[in-house]
Structure formats: C-alpha cells, structure tokens
mmCIF file of all heavy atoms in Angstrom:
data_model
loop_
_atom_site.group_PDB
_atom_site.id
_atom_site.type_symbol
_atom_site.label_atom_id
_atom_site.label_comp_id
_atom_site.label_asym_id
_atom_site.label_seq_id
_atom_site.Cartn_x
_atom_site.Cartn_y
_atom_site.Cartn_z
ATOM 1 N N ARG D 175 20.720 -14.762 -2.490
ATOM 2 C CA ARG D 175 21.395 -13.517 -2.139
ATOM 3 C C ARG D 175 21.476 -12.526 -3.298
ATOM 4 O O ARG D 175 21.901 -11.400 -3.112
ATOM 5 C CB ARG D 175 22.797 -13.827 -1.632
ATOM 6 C CG ARG D 175 22.817 -14.657 -0.364
ATOM 7 C CD ARG D 175 24.234 -14.879 0.152
ATOM 8 N NE ARG D 175 24.261 -15.696 1.351
ATOM 9 C CZ ARG D 175 24.038 -15.249 2.585
ATOM 10 N NH1 ARG D 175 23.795 -13.965 2.768
ATOM 11 N NH2 ARG D 175 24.091 -16.072 3.617
ATOM 12 N N SER D 176 21.076 -12.947 -4.474
ATOM 13 C CA SER D 176 21.125 -12.026 -5.609
ATOM 14 C C SER D 176 19.964 -11.028 -5.535
ATOM 15 O O SER D 176 18.896 -11.337 -5.005
ATOM 16 C CB SER D 176 21.045 -12.816 -6.911
ATOM 17 O OG SER D 176 19.763 -13.394 -7.081
ATOM 18 N N PRO D 177 20.152 -9.799 -6.057
ATOM 19 C CA PRO D 177 19.078 -8.802 -6.030
ATOM 20 C C PRO D 177 17.791 -9.303 -6.690
ATOM 21 O O PRO D 177 16.683 -9.140 -6.146
ATOM 22 C CB PRO D 177 19.661 -7.613 -6.786
ATOM 23 C CG PRO D 177 21.134 -7.748 -6.584
ATOM 24 C CD PRO D 177 21.403 -9.219 -6.589
ATOM 25 N N LEU D 178 17.915 -9.944 -7.873
ATOM 26 C CA LEU D 178 16.715 -10.449 -8.539
ATOM 27 C C LEU D 178 16.080 -11.597 -7.771
ATOM 28 O O LEU D 178 14.853 -11.679 -7.659
ATOM 29 C CB LEU D 178 17.093 -10.901 -9.967
ATOM 30 C CG LEU D 178 15.911 -11.395 -10.836
ATOM 31 C CD1 LEU D 178 14.812 -10.348 -10.918
ATOM 32 C CD2 LEU D 178 16.409 -11.797 -12.225
ATOM 33 N N GLY D 179 16.924 -12.467 -7.201
ATOM 34 C CA GLY D 179 16.397 -13.584 -6.410
ATOM 35 C C GLY D 179 15.635 -13.097 -5.192
ATOM 36 O O GLY D 179 14.583 -13.634 -4.829
ATOM 37 N N ILE D 180 16.186 -12.076 -4.504
ATOM 38 C CA ILE D 180 15.510 -11.510 -3.329
ATOM 39 C C ILE D 180 14.174 -10.881 -3.726
ATOM 40 O O ILE D 180 13.156 -11.093 -3.074
ATOM 41 C CB ILE D 180 16.427 -10.454 -2.647
ATOM 42 C CG1 ILE D 180 17.660 -11.139 -2.061
ATOM 43 C CG2 ILE D 180 15.647 -9.696 -1.584
ATOM 44 C CD1 ILE D 180 18.692 -10.159 -1.530
ATOM 45 N N PHE D 181 14.205 -10.136 -4.840
ATOM 46 C CA PHE D 181 12.979 -9.491 -5.319
ATOM 47 C C PHE D 181 11.894 -10.533 -5.641
ATOM 48 O O PHE D 181 10.730 -10.372 -5.263
ATOM 49 C CB PHE D 181 13.286 -8.643 -6.559
ATOM 50 C CG PHE D 181 12.059 -8.084 -7.212
ATOM 51 C CD1 PHE D 181 11.430 -6.959 -6.706
ATOM 52 C CD2 PHE D 181 11.505 -8.700 -8.337
ATOM 53 C CE1 PHE D 181 10.296 -6.456 -7.308
ATOM 54 C CE2 PHE D 181 10.362 -8.208 -8.934
ATOM 55 C CZ PHE D 181 9.760 -7.074 -8.421
ATOM 56 N N LEU D 182 12.274 -11.606 -6.332
ATOM 57 C CA LEU D 182 11.297 -12.627 -6.708
ATOM 58 C C LEU D 182 10.707 -13.297 -5.469
ATOM 59 O O LEU D 182 9.504 -13.612 -5.433
ATOM 60 C CB LEU D 182 11.937 -13.674 -7.617
ATOM 61 C CG LEU D 182 12.353 -13.200 -9.012
ATOM 62 C CD1 LEU D 182 12.999 -14.336 -9.786
ATOM 63 C CD2 LEU D 182 11.152 -12.648 -9.776
ATOM 64 N N ARG D 183 11.525 -13.537 -4.471
ATOM 65 C CA ARG D 183 11.030 -14.189 -3.251
ATOM 66 C C ARG D 183 10.075 -13.293 -2.482
ATOM 67 O O ARG D 183 9.058 -13.752 -1.937
ATOM 68 C CB ARG D 183 12.204 -14.628 -2.372
ATOM 69 C CG ARG D 183 12.866 -15.901 -2.908
ATOM 70 C CD ARG D 183 14.242 -16.141 -2.328
ATOM 71 N NE ARG D 183 14.783 -17.423 -2.793
ATOM 72 C CZ ARG D 183 15.292 -17.626 -4.000
ATOM 73 N NH1 ARG D 183 15.363 -16.599 -4.874
ATOM 74 N NH2 ARG D 183 15.755 -18.814 -4.354
ATOM 75 N N ILE D 184 10.421 -12.003 -2.406
ATOM 76 C CA ILE D 184 9.510 -11.053 -1.742
ATOM 77 C C ILE D 184 8.188 -10.989 -2.507
ATOM 78 O O ILE D 184 7.094 -11.024 -1.908
ATOM 79 C CB ILE D 184 10.151 -9.674 -1.640
ATOM 80 C CG1 ILE D 184 11.359 -9.698 -0.695
ATOM 81 C CG2 ILE D 184 9.128 -8.640 -1.179
ATOM 82 C CD1 ILE D 184 12.130 -8.404 -0.661
ATOM 83 N N PHE D 185 8.271 -10.913 -3.825
ATOM 84 C CA PHE D 185 7.068 -10.806 -4.640
ATOM 85 C C PHE D 185 6.220 -12.072 -4.552
ATOM 86 O O PHE D 185 4.991 -12.017 -4.504
ATOM 87 C CB PHE D 185 7.459 -10.516 -6.103
ATOM 88 C CG PHE D 185 6.343 -9.922 -6.907
ATOM 89 C CD1 PHE D 185 5.834 -8.681 -6.611
ATOM 90 C CD2 PHE D 185 5.788 -10.624 -7.969
ATOM 91 C CE1 PHE D 185 4.806 -8.122 -7.351
ATOM 92 C CE2 PHE D 185 4.754 -10.095 -8.704
ATOM 93 C CZ PHE D 185 4.254 -8.831 -8.400
ATOM 94 N N ALA D 186 6.877 -13.240 -4.518
ATOM 95 C CA ALA D 186 6.143 -14.516 -4.388
ATOM 96 C C ALA D 186 5.442 -14.591 -3.042
ATOM 97 O O ALA D 186 4.295 -15.077 -2.946
ATOM 98 C CB ALA D 186 7.108 -15.686 -4.541
ATOM 99 N N TRP D 187 6.109 -14.103 -2.005
ATOM 100 C CA TRP D 187 5.500 -14.121 -0.659
ATOM 101 C C TRP D 187 4.274 -13.224 -0.612
ATOM 102 O O TRP D 187 3.216 -13.614 -0.106
ATOM 103 C CB TRP D 187 6.538 -13.696 0.354
ATOM 104 C CG TRP D 187 5.989 -13.545 1.749
ATOM 105 C CD1 TRP D 187 5.520 -14.529 2.572
ATOM 106 C CD2 TRP D 187 5.821 -12.315 2.463
ATOM 107 N NE1 TRP D 187 5.079 -14.014 3.755
ATOM 108 C CE2 TRP D 187 5.250 -12.647 3.715
ATOM 109 C CE3 TRP D 187 6.108 -10.984 2.177
ATOM 110 C CZ2 TRP D 187 4.955 -11.680 4.661
ATOM 111 C CZ3 TRP D 187 5.825 -10.026 3.131
ATOM 112 C CH2 TRP D 187 5.246 -10.374 4.358
ATOM 113 N N ILE D 188 4.399 -11.992 -1.153
ATOM 114 C CA ILE D 188 3.269 -11.064 -1.148
ATOM 115 C C ILE D 188 2.116 -11.631 -1.986
ATOM 116 O O ILE D 188 0.952 -11.573 -1.581
ATOM 117 C CB ILE D 188 3.705 -9.681 -1.683
ATOM 118 C CG1 ILE D 188 4.699 -9.027 -0.711
ATOM 119 C CG2 ILE D 188 2.480 -8.789 -1.890
ATOM 120 C CD1 ILE D 188 5.275 -7.734 -1.228
ATOM 121 N N THR D 189 2.444 -12.201 -3.132
ATOM 122 C CA THR D 189 1.398 -12.766 -3.991
ATOM 123 C C THR D 189 0.702 -13.937 -3.305
ATOM 124 O O THR D 189 -0.510 -14.121 -3.450
ATOM 125 C CB THR D 189 2.003 -13.231 -5.324
ATOM 126 O OG1 THR D 189 2.742 -12.155 -5.913
ATOM 127 C CG2 THR D 189 0.924 -13.654 -6.296
ATOM 128 N N SER D 190 1.461 -14.758 -2.575
ATOM 129 C CA SER D 190 0.827 -15.898 -1.872
ATOM 130 C C SER D 190 -0.163 -15.392 -0.824
ATOM 131 O O SER D 190 -1.230 -15.999 -0.636
ATOM 132 C CB SER D 190 1.907 -16.766 -1.209
ATOM 133 O OG SER D 190 2.529 -16.107 -0.123
ATOM 134 N N LEU D 191 0.158 -14.269 -0.164
ATOM 135 C CA LEU D 191 -0.764 -13.688 0.809
ATOM 136 C C LEU D 191 -2.036 -13.194 0.132
ATOM 137 O O LEU D 191 -3.145 -13.354 0.643
ATOM 138 C CB LEU D 191 -0.102 -12.544 1.565
ATOM 139 C CG LEU D 191 1.089 -12.906 2.460
ATOM 140 C CD1 LEU D 191 1.631 -11.637 3.146
ATOM 141 C CD2 LEU D 191 0.687 -13.929 3.515
ATOM 142 N N LEU D 192 -1.878 -12.594 -1.052
ATOM 143 C CA LEU D 192 -3.040 -12.114 -1.802
ATOM 144 C C LEU D 192 -3.928 -13.270 -2.244
ATOM 145 O O LEU D 192 -5.154 -13.185 -2.184
ATOM 146 C CB LEU D 192 -2.582 -11.294 -3.007
ATOM 147 C CG LEU D 192 -1.925 -9.956 -2.700
ATOM 148 C CD1 LEU D 192 -1.410 -9.320 -3.993
ATOM 149 C CD2 LEU D 192 -2.914 -9.020 -2.013
ATOM 150 N N PHE D 193 -3.313 -14.367 -2.673
ATOM 151 C CA PHE D 193 -4.096 -15.542 -3.076
ATOM 152 C C PHE D 193 -4.836 -16.131 -1.884
ATOM 153 O O PHE D 193 -5.988 -16.549 -1.996
ATOM 154 C CB PHE D 193 -3.191 -16.609 -3.711
ATOM 155 C CG PHE D 193 -3.134 -16.520 -5.209
ATOM 156 C CD1 PHE D 193 -2.002 -16.034 -5.842
ATOM 157 C CD2 PHE D 193 -4.204 -16.949 -5.995
ATOM 158 C CE1 PHE D 193 -1.946 -15.951 -7.230
ATOM 159 C CE2 PHE D 193 -4.155 -16.879 -7.371
ATOM 160 C CZ PHE D 193 -3.022 -16.379 -8.001
ATOM 161 N N GLN D 194 -4.178 -16.159 -0.714
ATOM 162 C CA GLN D 194 -4.838 -16.671 0.482
ATOM 163 C C GLN D 194 -6.031 -15.795 0.854
ATOM 164 O O GLN D 194 -7.082 -16.302 1.263
ATOM 165 C CB GLN D 194 -3.844 -16.725 1.630
ATOM 166 C CG GLN D 194 -2.779 -17.795 1.478
ATOM 167 C CD GLN D 194 -1.703 -17.701 2.539
ATOM 168 O OE1 GLN D 194 -1.931 -17.172 3.621
ATOM 169 N NE2 GLN D 194 -0.514 -18.192 2.221
ATOM 170 N N LEU D 195 -5.857 -14.473 0.692
ATOM 171 C CA LEU D 195 -6.962 -13.564 0.971
ATOM 172 C C LEU D 195 -8.111 -13.796 -0.010
ATOM 173 O O LEU D 195 -9.282 -13.832 0.386
ATOM 174 C CB LEU D 195 -6.481 -12.114 0.885
ATOM 175 C CG LEU D 195 -7.531 -11.025 1.109
ATOM 176 C CD1 LEU D 195 -8.166 -11.165 2.503
ATOM 177 C CD2 LEU D 195 -6.917 -9.644 0.948
ATOM 178 N N MET D 196 -7.784 -13.974 -1.274
ATOM 179 C CA MET D 196 -8.836 -14.234 -2.265
ATOM 180 C C MET D 196 -9.548 -15.562 -1.993
ATOM 181 O O MET D 196 -10.767 -15.676 -2.169
ATOM 182 C CB MET D 196 -8.222 -14.239 -3.673
ATOM 183 C CG MET D 196 -7.827 -12.864 -4.183
ATOM 184 S SD MET D 196 -7.303 -12.875 -5.918
ATOM 185 C CE MET D 196 -5.702 -13.683 -5.787
ATOM 186 N N GLU D 197 -8.780 -16.549 -1.527
ATOM 187 C CA GLU D 197 -9.395 -17.834 -1.192
ATOM 188 C C GLU D 197 -10.346 -17.681 -0.013
ATOM 189 O O GLU D 197 -11.435 -18.272 0.017
ATOM 190 C CB GLU D 197 -8.321 -18.868 -0.874
ATOM 191 C CG GLU D 197 -8.881 -20.269 -0.621
ATOM 192 C CD GLU D 197 -7.807 -21.272 -0.314
ATOM 193 O OE1 GLU D 197 -6.831 -20.914 0.388
ATOM 194 O OE2 GLU D 197 -7.929 -22.426 -0.763
ATOM 195 N N ASP D 198 -9.938 -16.885 0.978
ATOM 196 C CA ASP D 198 -10.810 -16.637 2.135
ATOM 197 C C ASP D 198 -12.104 -15.954 1.710
ATOM 198 O O ASP D 198 -13.201 -16.282 2.193
ATOM 199 C CB ASP D 198 -10.089 -15.782 3.181
ATOM 200 C CG ASP D 198 -8.978 -16.544 3.880
ATOM 201 O OD1 ASP D 198 -8.993 -17.788 3.823
ATOM 202 O OD2 ASP D 198 -8.080 -15.891 4.469
ATOM 203 N N VAL D 199 -11.981 -14.985 0.808
ATOM 204 C CA VAL D 199 -13.167 -14.285 0.308
ATOM 205 C C VAL D 199 -14.073 -15.270 -0.433
ATOM 206 O O VAL D 199 -15.302 -15.264 -0.265
ATOM 207 C CB VAL D 199 -12.767 -13.116 -0.616
ATOM 208 C CG1 VAL D 199 -13.998 -12.529 -1.296
ATOM 209 C CG2 VAL D 199 -12.034 -12.049 0.172
ATOM 210 N N TYR D 200 -13.477 -16.109 -1.276
ATOM 211 C CA TYR D 200 -14.251 -17.122 -2.005
ATOM 212 C C TYR D 200 -14.969 -18.071 -1.031
ATOM 213 O O TYR D 200 -16.153 -18.343 -1.170
ATOM 214 C CB TYR D 200 -13.324 -17.915 -2.926
ATOM 215 C CG TYR D 200 -13.990 -19.062 -3.647
ATOM 216 C CD1 TYR D 200 -14.733 -18.843 -4.802
ATOM 217 C CD2 TYR D 200 -13.892 -20.368 -3.153
ATOM 218 C CE1 TYR D 200 -15.349 -19.909 -5.464
ATOM 219 C CE2 TYR D 200 -14.502 -21.419 -3.801
ATOM 220 C CZ TYR D 200 -15.235 -21.193 -4.954
ATOM 221 O OH TYR D 200 -15.844 -22.234 -5.599
ATOM 222 N N ASN D 201 -14.247 -18.565 -0.036
ATOM 223 C CA ASN D 201 -14.830 -19.514 0.922
ATOM 224 C C ASN D 201 -15.901 -18.868 1.790
ATOM 225 O O ASN D 201 -16.788 -19.567 2.313
ATOM 226 C CB ASN D 201 -13.730 -20.098 1.822
ATOM 227 C CG ASN D 201 -12.854 -21.076 1.084
ATOM 228 O OD1 ASN D 201 -13.261 -21.669 0.087
ATOM 229 N ND2 ASN D 201 -11.621 -21.237 1.546
ATOM 230 N N SER D 202 -15.834 -17.566 1.982
ATOM 231 C CA SER D 202 -16.811 -16.882 2.833
ATOM 232 C C SER D 202 -18.213 -16.894 2.240
ATOM 233 O O SER D 202 -19.168 -16.542 2.925
ATOM 234 C CB SER D 202 -16.370 -15.440 3.098
ATOM 235 O OG SER D 202 -16.461 -14.653 1.912
ATOM 236 N N ARG D 203 -18.348 -17.322 0.984
ATOM 237 C CA ARG D 203 -19.647 -17.370 0.336
ATOM 238 C C ARG D 203 -20.437 -18.619 0.679
ATOM 239 O O ARG D 203 -21.606 -18.730 0.360
ATOM 240 C CB ARG D 203 -19.485 -17.282 -1.186
ATOM 241 C CG ARG D 203 -18.778 -16.021 -1.667
ATOM 242 C CD ARG D 203 -18.319 -16.164 -3.106
ATOM 243 N NE ARG D 203 -19.411 -16.533 -4.004
ATOM 244 C CZ ARG D 203 -19.373 -17.510 -4.872
ATOM 245 N NH1 ARG D 203 -18.292 -18.260 -4.959
ATOM 246 N NH2 ARG D 203 -20.396 -17.754 -5.675
ATOM 247 N N PHE D 204 -19.782 -19.603 1.321
ATOM 248 C CA PHE D 204 -20.405 -20.904 1.524
ATOM 249 C C PHE D 204 -20.417 -21.275 3.005
ATOM 250 O O PHE D 204 -19.434 -21.067 3.724
ATOM 251 C CB PHE D 204 -19.639 -21.985 0.747
ATOM 252 C CG PHE D 204 -19.431 -21.646 -0.705
ATOM 253 C CD1 PHE D 204 -18.195 -21.217 -1.150
ATOM 254 C CD2 PHE D 204 -20.468 -21.736 -1.603
ATOM 255 C CE1 PHE D 204 -17.998 -20.891 -2.485
ATOM 256 C CE2 PHE D 204 -20.283 -21.410 -2.924
ATOM 257 C CZ PHE D 204 -19.054 -20.982 -3.381
ATOM 258 N N ILE D 205 -21.527 -21.836 3.446
ATOM 259 C CA ILE D 205 -21.694 -22.222 4.836
ATOM 260 C C ILE D 205 -20.613 -23.213 5.271
ATOM 261 O O ILE D 205 -20.076 -23.144 6.379
ATOM 262 C CB ILE D 205 -23.089 -22.814 5.071
ATOM 263 C CG1 ILE D 205 -24.134 -21.704 5.051
ATOM 264 C CG2 ILE D 205 -23.154 -23.559 6.400
ATOM 265 C CD1 ILE D 205 -24.024 -20.741 6.219
ATOM 266 N N ASP D 206 -20.273 -24.161 4.408
ATOM 267 C CA ASP D 206 -19.306 -25.204 4.769
ATOM 268 C C ASP D 206 -17.918 -24.650 5.061
ATOM 269 O O ASP D 206 -17.164 -25.237 5.858
ATOM 270 C CB ASP D 206 -19.198 -26.246 3.658
ATOM 271 C CG ASP D 206 -20.401 -27.181 3.644
ATOM 272 O OD1 ASP D 206 -21.073 -27.286 4.677
ATOM 273 O OD2 ASP D 206 -20.658 -27.801 2.595
ATOM 274 N N THR D 207 -17.541 -23.572 4.417
ATOM 275 C CA THR D 207 -16.163 -23.078 4.512
ATOM 276 C C THR D 207 -16.044 -21.700 5.161
ATOM 277 O O THR D 207 -14.936 -21.305 5.537
ATOM 278 C CB THR D 207 -15.522 -23.019 3.114
ATOM 279 O OG1 THR D 207 -16.389 -22.287 2.233
ATOM 280 C CG2 THR D 207 -15.300 -24.423 2.565
ATOM 281 N N ALA D 208 -17.141 -20.959 5.280
ATOM 282 C CA ALA D 208 -17.078 -19.645 5.906
ATOM 283 C C ALA D 208 -16.765 -19.797 7.401
ATOM 284 O O ALA D 208 -17.157 -20.758 8.036
ATOM 285 C CB ALA D 208 -18.398 -18.905 5.722
ATOM 286 N N VAL D 209 -16.081 -18.812 7.948
ATOM 287 C CA VAL D 209 -15.739 -18.810 9.379
ATOM 288 C C VAL D 209 -15.994 -17.437 9.957
ATOM 289 O O VAL D 209 -16.054 -16.442 9.237
ATOM 290 C CB VAL D 209 -14.265 -19.212 9.618
ATOM 291 C CG1 VAL D 209 -14.005 -20.649 9.184
ATOM 292 C CG2 VAL D 209 -13.306 -18.255 8.897
ATOM 293 N N GLY D 210 -16.156 -17.391 11.264
ATOM 294 C CA GLY D 210 -16.292 -16.108 11.956
ATOM 295 C C GLY D 210 -17.444 -15.269 11.440
ATOM 296 O O GLY D 210 -18.546 -15.773 11.189
ATOM 297 N N ASN D 211 -17.196 -13.975 11.285
ATOM 298 C CA ASN D 211 -18.235 -13.046 10.891
ATOM 299 C C ASN D 211 -18.840 -13.375 9.527
ATOM 300 O O ASN D 211 -20.018 -13.125 9.275
ATOM 301 C CB ASN D 211 -17.700 -11.616 10.887
ATOM 302 C CG ASN D 211 -17.465 -11.080 12.284
ATOM 303 O OD1 ASN D 211 -18.117 -11.525 13.232
ATOM 304 N ND2 ASN D 211 -16.556 -10.144 12.424
ATOM 305 N N SER D 212 -18.021 -13.927 8.625
ATOM 306 C CA SER D 212 -18.546 -14.300 7.316
ATOM 307 C C SER D 212 -19.606 -15.384 7.455
ATOM 308 O O SER D 212 -20.655 -15.339 6.794
ATOM 309 C CB SER D 212 -17.414 -14.816 6.414
ATOM 310 O OG SER D 212 -16.471 -13.795 6.164
ATOM 311 N N LEU D 213 -19.379 -16.350 8.341
ATOM 312 C CA LEU D 213 -20.371 -17.393 8.600
ATOM 313 C C LEU D 213 -21.631 -16.812 9.220
ATOM 314 O O LEU D 213 -22.748 -17.135 8.823
ATOM 315 C CB LEU D 213 -19.742 -18.455 9.516
ATOM 316 C CG LEU D 213 -20.663 -19.572 9.988
ATOM 317 C CD1 LEU D 213 -21.168 -20.398 8.805
ATOM 318 C CD2 LEU D 213 -19.947 -20.469 10.992
ATOM 319 N N TYR D 214 -21.441 -15.909 10.199
ATOM 320 C CA TYR D 214 -22.613 -15.346 10.899
ATOM 321 C C TYR D 214 -23.431 -14.470 9.957
ATOM 322 O O TYR D 214 -24.661 -14.397 10.073
ATOM 323 C CB TYR D 214 -22.154 -14.543 12.112
ATOM 324 C CG TYR D 214 -21.157 -15.275 12.986
ATOM 325 C CD1 TYR D 214 -20.134 -14.594 13.635
ATOM 326 C CD2 TYR D 214 -21.224 -16.657 13.121
ATOM 327 C CE1 TYR D 214 -19.211 -15.274 14.424
ATOM 328 C CE2 TYR D 214 -20.298 -17.342 13.908
ATOM 329 C CZ TYR D 214 -19.295 -16.638 14.543
ATOM 330 O OH TYR D 214 -18.377 -17.319 15.310
ATOM 331 N N ASN D 215 -22.776 -13.794 9.028
ATOM 332 C CA ASN D 215 -23.503 -12.976 8.068
ATOM 333 C C ASN D 215 -24.386 -13.840 7.155
ATOM 334 O O ASN D 215 -25.502 -13.445 6.804
ATOM 335 C CB ASN D 215 -22.530 -12.166 7.208
ATOM 336 C CG ASN D 215 -21.907 -11.014 7.983
ATOM 337 O OD1 ASN D 215 -22.481 -10.517 8.953
ATOM 338 N ND2 ASN D 215 -20.726 -10.583 7.580
ATOM 339 N N LEU D 216 -23.889 -15.024 6.778
ATOM 340 C CA LEU D 216 -24.710 -15.945 5.993
ATOM 341 C C LEU D 216 -25.928 -16.396 6.797
ATOM 342 O O LEU D 216 -27.030 -16.520 6.275
ATOM 343 C CB LEU D 216 -23.877 -17.146 5.556
ATOM 344 C CG LEU D 216 -22.781 -16.882 4.523
ATOM 345 C CD1 LEU D 216 -21.934 -18.134 4.324
ATOM 346 C CD2 LEU D 216 -23.377 -16.429 3.204
ATOM 347 N N GLY D 217 -25.717 -16.654 8.080
ATOM 348 C CA GLY D 217 -26.814 -17.082 8.935
ATOM 349 C C GLY D 217 -27.858 -16.011 9.143
ATOM 350 O O GLY D 217 -29.052 -16.304 9.279
#
C-alpha cells in the first residue's frame, strides 16, 4: 500500500511484459519455438 511499493510493483509488471515480448521475438527466430506468423515466415 505504500507509494514506493505500488510504483515498484507496477514497474515490475511492465518490465515482465517487456521481457516476455523480447523472449517471443528471440524464439521467433527458430523453427522449434516460433509460432503463428513468425513460424510461417521462416517456412
């Protein structure tokens, strides 16, 4: 409930989304892990 605690949690959540997006971009380079349009583009 503290202002700093709320800020850190929001920032951690946003950063986790960015890391997930970066992981998706990384995985899209490989046939084994790419999905959807990224997989079809490799094909």
Side-chain angles (χ1 to χ4, degrees):
R175 297 183 181 278
S176 69
L178 183 55
I180 293 173
F181 173 80
L182 292 179
R183 283 163 176 78
I184 293 174
F185 200 65
W187 174 68
I188 293 174
T189 307
S190 69
L191 295 180
L192 291 175
F193 266 106
Q194 290 172 24
L195 178 59
M196 287 188 288
E197 185 180 38
D198 289 342
V199 172
Y200 175 82
N201 288 335
S202 70
R203 301 165 55 229
F204 308 104
I205 286 293
D206 284 339
T207 52
V209 296
N211 288 334
S212 296
L213 175 63
Y214 312 145
N215 287 334
L216 291 173

